[in-house]
Amino acid sequence: APDPSVVGQAVTVGFSVTSAGGTPTGNVTVSDGTVSCVGTVAVPNCALTFTIAGAKTLTATYAGDVNFAGSVSAGVAHGVNQAATTAVISSHTPDPSPRGAAVGVAWTVTPTAPGAGTPTGNVTVSDGVNTCVAAVGLGGCSVTLNTVGTRPLTATYVGDGNFSGSVSPVVNHTVTL
């Protein structure tokens, strides 16, 4: 639980190890083949955190102990969806700026809880006429604004395979003659 989850969200997986006679002890590893966690028979759960969206098949592998042989569960499907993001323009300088001047626009793109991780891809900053584009990890770009007056700046993150896109709230920037 939860199922489905989102990229970066902890998923608690419960399991059980039973026997017709006696009580097994030891460890159980839950895995999708890439991500795994280890729990004990006594505390029958562990938490996985997936960093890639998509369909997963989880199996529980009991290692066995001195009295009981190991075993592997049947696969159980689990879905991991893209995590939502929030884009925000954190600064736009100089403000005001003269017409035709480059304006440095800084942004942040962060996963929205319960998602976590590092989004990749590009962010486009625009006033509806002029734009600049840079990798999300750069955190900013310079846009040349050529229209005098109040310009509505937005930062648009297009998303990637693991994180959905988002658009920042409008930030007004003043362009003078």
Side-chain angles (χ1 to χ4, degrees):
D3 185 22
S5 62
V6 297
V7 169
Q9 181 179 21
V11 176
T12 301
V13 180
F15 53 82
S16 64
V17 178
T18 59
S19 170
T23 304
T25 62
N27 292 332
V28 174
T29 301
V30 176
S31 177
D32 74 335
T34 302
V35 177
S36 63
C37 63
V38 177
T40 65
V41 173
V43 181
N45 66 67
C46 62
L48 296 166
T49 302
F50 297 100
T51 58
I52 298 174
K56 312 296 180 188
T57 301
L58 305 179
T59 58
T61 303
Y62 171 56
D65 64 17
V66 297
N67 297 312
F68 297 94
S71 61
V72 178
S73 72
V76 175
H78 178 78
V80 180
N81 296 328
Q82 290 178 309
T85 61
T86 302
V88 175
I89 293 177
S90 54
S91 67
H92 49 105
T93 57
D95 185 27
S97 63
R99 181 178 60 190
V103 175
V105 180
W107 65 73
T108 60
V109 176
T110 55
T112 305
T118 304
T120 62
N122 291 327
V123 173
T124 300
V125 173
S126 178
D127 70 344
V129 176
N130 304 284
T131 63
C132 64
V133 179
V136 68
L138 292 177
C141 61
S142 293
V143 60
T144 301
L145 302 175
N146 295 311
T147 305
V148 174
T150 301
R151 304 306 305 155
L153 296 177
T154 58
T156 302
Y157 170 57
V158 296
D160 64 20
N162 297 313
F163 297 92
S164 61
S166 57
V167 178
S168 72
V170 170
V171 173
N172 288 320
H173 181 86
T174 302
V175 178
T176 61
L177 286 173

